[in-house]
Amino acid sequence: MMLMTQAPATPKAARRQHDREIVALAVPAFGALVAEPLFVMADSAIVGHLGTAQLAGLGVASALLMTAVSVFVFLAYATTAAVARRVGADDLQSAIRQGVDGIWLALLLGAAVVAVVLPTAPTLVDLFGASDTAAPYATTYLRISALGIPAMLVVLAATGVLRGLQDTKTPLYVALAGFIANGALNVGLVYGADLGIAGSAWGTVIAQCGMATAYLVVVVRGARSHGASLRPDIAGIRASAQAGLPLLVRTLSLRAILMIATAVAARLGDADVAAHQIILSLWSLLAFALDAIAIAGQAIIGRYLGAGDAEGARAACRRMVEWGIATGLVLGLLVMLTRPLFLPLFTSDSVVKDAALPALLIVALSQPICGIVFVLDGVLMGAGDGPYLAWAMVVTLAVFVPVALLIPTLGGGLTAVWAAMTLMMTVRMLTLWLRTRSGRWIVTGATR
């Protein structure tokens, strides 16, 4: 665990200290973030050789599965902030106890999701538009993979515990081990045991359970060394749920924005929606780099506020914003320079390329804005300012929806869709900047 150090004597020394902390937390966090989509890529590569119908079924089931899990990402965010505050207050027993409550909440939510998904899997697959040939494979994969949802949610909550303890290296190691195990299990079960797409699903479940077990071993060891109880505490679980509810609203609002953008692109034609999917995949990859800084922000800000160091929290916030802007500028420049090289990796269709090129320019220019948004989002999460984040995202959704829906009516193309996405990020930046400038997010102490 990274311990608090004595406050630096000069502003330059303070910046160096913040830089060291940001790098130490953000770099491993980026590696762990990238490992998760690699799970899906590995499954796709292995299942793709079984046939087109199997690959299509995997695509549908994976999208449903990731949606079911991603809405509960607050398990990581809320737990990080709560644990970091208690670390800052030098109360490790309470910090780990808070993390244990988050893990119990993850298990309860995971069991509830499994109970819903198992009987409704065929209906969910049909609602998602799977073809008659792909639907049976999608249903098989979804039903088996759903058994791993409790483990996936435990991984989220336990990752939040370790991030709050200022440890992002352990999640990186666990994620890498899980990725390697997932690939080996998939190859062995799909081809060695001749289980087909069911083998891929079972491989993923086993790998996720292994990752959850590894996290639980670390948390249990920490709980025992600091005398924290491992028993479920109703009041603590309820508090974790209440802290996570605003972040759930925030996440659902953001996912609604992404779904609406895709739906609008689909109405523009096949070439536009194909180009949109390519750009969205790149946008998501860029988000991992920026989200790594946000994760560092959650842990660092929570710790400073827990220690009662309001000025340290402000200084860390300022430095992380500078990091966000600088990273955004670098990423934007890379996108601008590699646009002609990037698109041929995904398509040879000149119509798709022509639709994507100007939209990619907008994505490149918007990266500094995205950098500020991700960092301030992480700062306010670390401060436990969930209700404001929920309100701000609902406002952003309300601004985005009418603008996006007018695009087909006014004859706008894919460039207009991504201009609307940039408007959405700009609104987010303004709402987050106003909050951080007000100072109302700064509430010191072990709890908010």
Side-chain angles (χ1 to χ4, degrees):
M1 184 187 73
M2 187 183 301
L3 298 176
M4 290 287 288
T5 56
Q6 188 174 2
T10 67
K12 188 174 181 180
R15 286 196 298 272
R16 284 200 301 267
Q17 177 182 318
H18 291 316
D19 289 345
R20 286 193 296 269
E21 291 182 338
I22 292 167
V23 170
L25 291 170
V27 172
F30 175 72
L33 288 169
V34 170
E36 188 60 35
L38 291 178
F39 269 68
V40 178
M41 290 178 63
D43 288 358
S44 299
I46 294 166
V47 171
H49 292 287
L50 295 174
T52 302
Q54 288 90 332
L55 183 58
L58 173 66
V60 171
S62 293
L64 286 166
L65 191 67
M66 289 302 100
T67 299
V69 173
S70 63
V71 296
F72 297 113
V73 72
F74 69 82
L75 289 167
Y77 294 159
T79 304
T80 297
V83 171
R85 274 185 175 271
R86 288 160 175 79
V87 169
D90 199 25
D91 186 357
L92 288 179
Q93 182 186 64
S94 178
I96 295 174
R97 176 65 250 186
Q98 181 71 35
V100 170
D101 291 334
I103 291 173
W104 277 111
L105 176 62
L107 285 170
L108 292 173
L109 291 173
V113 174
V114 171
V116 172
V117 171
L118 287 182
T120 62
T123 303
L124 292 172
V125 167
D126 288 340
L127 288 173
F128 215 76
S131 67
D132 291 339
T133 54
Y137 297 111
T139 301
T140 296
Y141 189 93
L142 181 59
R143 275 184 165 154
I144 296 172
S145 295
L147 299 176
I149 287 177
M152 295 180 191
L153 298 190
V154 166
V155 167
L156 284 176
T159 299
V161 176
L162 295 182
R163 289 174 182 170
L165 293 171
Q166 318 295 294
D167 177 9
T168 56
K169 290 183 179 179
T170 300
L172 172 61
Y173 299 147
V174 174
L176 289 175
F179 170 70
I180 294 170
N182 179 69
L185 287 165
N186 269 259
V187 171
L189 294 174
V190 171
Y191 298 110
D194 198 26
L195 294 178
I197 195 170
S200 177
W202 280 117
T204 300
V205 169
I206 295 170
Q208 292 287 353
C209 289
M211 291 171 64
T213 300
Y215 275 118
L216 290 175
V217 168
V218 174
V219 173
V220 168
R221 186 180 299 155
R224 288 176 175 170
S225 64
H226 294 287
S229 173
L230 294 170
R231 294 179 181 178
D233 177 68
I234 300 301
I237 294 171
R238 187 186 300 115
S240 295
Q242 289 172 345
L245 183 59
L247 296 181
L248 175 62
V249 173
R250 168 201 168 275
T251 301
L252 291 174
S253 299
L254 179 57
R255 291 202 67 85
I257 288 171
L258 298 178
M259 290 174 63
I260 291 168
T262 300
V264 170
R267 292 180 63 186
L268 300 176
D270 290 346
D272 285 292
V273 74
H276 176 74
Q277 287 303 114
I278 294 171
I279 296 170
L280 189 61
S281 66
L282 174 63
W283 193 76
S284 300
L285 179 62
L286 297 173
F288 286 136
L290 299 173
D291 202 27
I293 304 174
I295 287 169
Q298 293 171 30
I300 293 170
I301 294 298
R303 193 193 71 214
Y304 272 111
L305 293 178
D309 187 354
E311 186 51 45
R314 288 191 186 93
C317 175
R318 286 193 296 270
R319 191 56 177 163
M320 280 183 283
V321 169
E322 292 170 0
W323 269 81
I325 294 172
T327 305
L329 287 170
V330 171
L331 293 176
L333 183 61
L334 287 174
V335 171
M336 204 173 296
L337 294 176
T338 60
R339 282 185 305 154
L341 303 175
F342 172 75
L343 289 173
L345 297 175
F346 291 88
T347 182
S348 58
D349 190 328
S350 60
V351 179
V352 175
K353 292 179 183 177
D354 290 342
L357 274 172
L360 274 174
L361 180 60
I362 291 179
V363 170
L365 294 174
S366 68
Q367 286 310 296
I369 296 174
C370 294
I372 296 172
V373 169
F374 275 83
V375 167
L376 294 183
D377 209 39
V379 166
L380 295 185
M381 283 184 189
D385 204 9
Y388 182 84
L389 289 172
W391 174 86
M393 189 59 76
V394 170
V395 169
T396 303
L397 175 63
V399 172
F400 176 79
V401 169
V403 173
L405 295 182
L406 279 173
I407 290 172
T409 304
L410 298 177
L414 186 64
T415 303
V417 173
W418 279 94
M421 290 287 286
T422 301
L423 171 65
M424 177 270 293
M425 294 301 289
T426 303
V427 173
R428 288 187 69 190
M429 181 182 69
L430 290 174
T431 58
L432 297 173
W433 176 77
L434 288 172
R435 185 62 168 183
T436 51
R437 187 171 180 270
S438 73
R440 294 177 184 173
W441 58 280
I442 299 177
V443 179
T444 58
T447 57
R448 183 177 173 85

